[in-house]
Amino acid sequence: MSDTETKRDLPAGVKRYARYLLIMAGLGGLIYGIDVGVIAAALPYIRNTSNYSSMQLGFIVGAVLWGSVISSLFAGSLAEFFGRKKIIIASAFCFFISIPVICLSGLFEGGNFVLLTVGRTLQGASAGLVGVVIPMYLAECLDSDSRGKGTGMFQLLLTIGLAFAAVIGLVVTGWVGDSDKVVKGLASEHGVEVAKVTYAQITEWAKPEQLKGWAMAWQTIFLCSAVPGLILFLGAFGLKESPRWLYKKGRKEEALASLAANNGEAKAKEILDEMIAADKAEAEEKAAIAKASAGDSLFQRKYIYPFCLAVVILACNQATGINSVLNYTVDIFKATGMEGVFANFSDLAIKLVNVFMTVVACTLVDKKGRKFLLKLGTGGVIIGLCGVATTFLLITKGVFAASLATGIVATVFFFMFIAFYAVGPGVCVWLALSELMPTRIRATGMSIAMIINQGVSATIATVFPAWKDAWGFPAVFYCLAGFTVIYFVTAAFFLPETKGKTLEEIERYFSKK
């Protein structure tokens, strides 16, 4: 009997729980996407209703990613000690409480940098926990034929989270108006260069109701994003604990029950037998080579290769500039010549492209494989980034003036960048993270790799404004394309195909190498 036929014969309760598991995991991706995308539309309003410097604004944007770095440092250890389920609950709670803290900062005259930074850091801490624990949880709960679908659901909801934040931003901008356009007009009236306008001048020139509306605008953007966090917090209590975590703790009966909830009893026994066999083989190997150490180390030979691969892939994934682009999209589109609502429409458009292409990737990942999609995706990302860089180069050299037309050209290349990122790195990076790490070091290895991933992301997002000012947009985007070339080479020549293999089979592959 085929796997497809077996799945069709599963009891209704098993199918129902399988859907529930995917939905809850997807909500984790939704939160991650909102964390990354929510600041893009809110940033212009925050900038025009506060006395924050450019450096402080950059840190506010990057605080989410630095918070993610901090939580990633402990995510694996916490998941090992408390279990995957409890950390998923904690991450949702952390996200939910961050929203009122962020909004509270807007009640102070000129803003409260400390409160806003603390709130954004809490958001990031939530994302770091989600990014480590949910892919780990999915890898340990799903069979080899479903892992691609499960991780794809996480990434799909992540992209929907980005689009959700963009829709909120577009609606709020249409309702309140473009604050940057108003400030530009006020600066022109008073003969002041826009870049030199201060918060004190804005409060003097703008009407009080305008300032109040702008402050309410960015607070509304954040408040609307709190709902998914609350749903995940409440819904996560209904999840089963990871079967492989339960097995490692010696709770075999509970592990079998957890496997059966999602896979059915027959498949659950088969997977448990595989786990026992892998555990026995590991014990025999240790005895044969006379290793008396109590636990595994990342520095054993059979772990170095998959660990280094995961680290390089995750670092390069962020070195494409994906999070920085999504954090600053509205400002970037305005730099191409777009104004007002057009920039927000373009922001929403690329995020909808992201959603659509992620759906495509989810249908392909378990058919075409991880390696093929990573090669295809990184190749397209290189072309898209080079196209954006060339558009900016032609503008800065005076070949074309920045206008709606140049903005549309840049948007087309952004579409290519986002579409190919979604097809390849967007979905496959989470699979690489969860599949490449051997079971016994998965929690620690994923945390270390995720720290590097988030560290690269946070650094680029924090320094992006200063980097752009120092080098200019063309050099920045060409540099990001160069990092993606490294990504392509790694995927094409060093990454093994893991499609259709159990976690134990992948581990044996690296043991043989």
Side-chain angles (χ1 to χ4, degrees), residues 102-143:
I102 289 171
C103 292
L104 185 61
S105 70
L107 301 180
F108 293 81
E109 177 65 28
N112 187 303
F113 178 71
V114 173
L115 271 178
L116 184 52
T117 303
V118 168
R120 291 280 291 162
T121 305
L122 280 173
Q123 271 194 317
S126 167
L129 293 174
V130 163
V132 170
V133 178
I134 287 186
M136 180 195 304
Y137 178 75
L138 289 171
E140 295 179 345
C141 290
L142 301 175
D143 62 22

Side-chain angles (χ1 to χ4, degrees), residues 373-394:
L373 291 182
L374 274 177
K375 289 192 294 183
L376 176 67
T378 51
V381 166
I382 293 167
I383 296 171
L385 286 171
C386 288
V388 173
T390 302
T391 303
F392 273 114
L393 182 64
L394 294 175

Side-chain angles (χ1 to χ4, degrees), residues 204-271:
E204 180 184 344
W205 299 338
K207 298 175 183 178
E209 56 267 27
Q210 277 183 319
L211 292 171
K212 185 178 179 180
W214 295 346
M216 188 180 296
W218 72 258
Q219 289 170 326
T220 300
I221 291 170
F222 279 102
L223 282 171
C224 290
S225 68
V227 177
L230 179 61
I231 296 173
L232 177 60
F233 174 70
L234 297 174
F237 286 96
L239 291 173
K240 306 289 185 184
E241 183 52 86
S242 159
R244 283 179 171 84
W245 182 82
L246 290 168
Y247 176 79
K248 286 173 68 177
K249 297 298 179 182
R251 295 153 63 177
K252 292 184 181 179
E253 290 185 6
E254 292 177 67
L256 182 61
S258 178
L259 284 168
N262 181 60
N263 299 281
E265 291 186 11
K267 185 69 174 177
K269 289 177 182 177
E270 183 183 321
I271 296 172

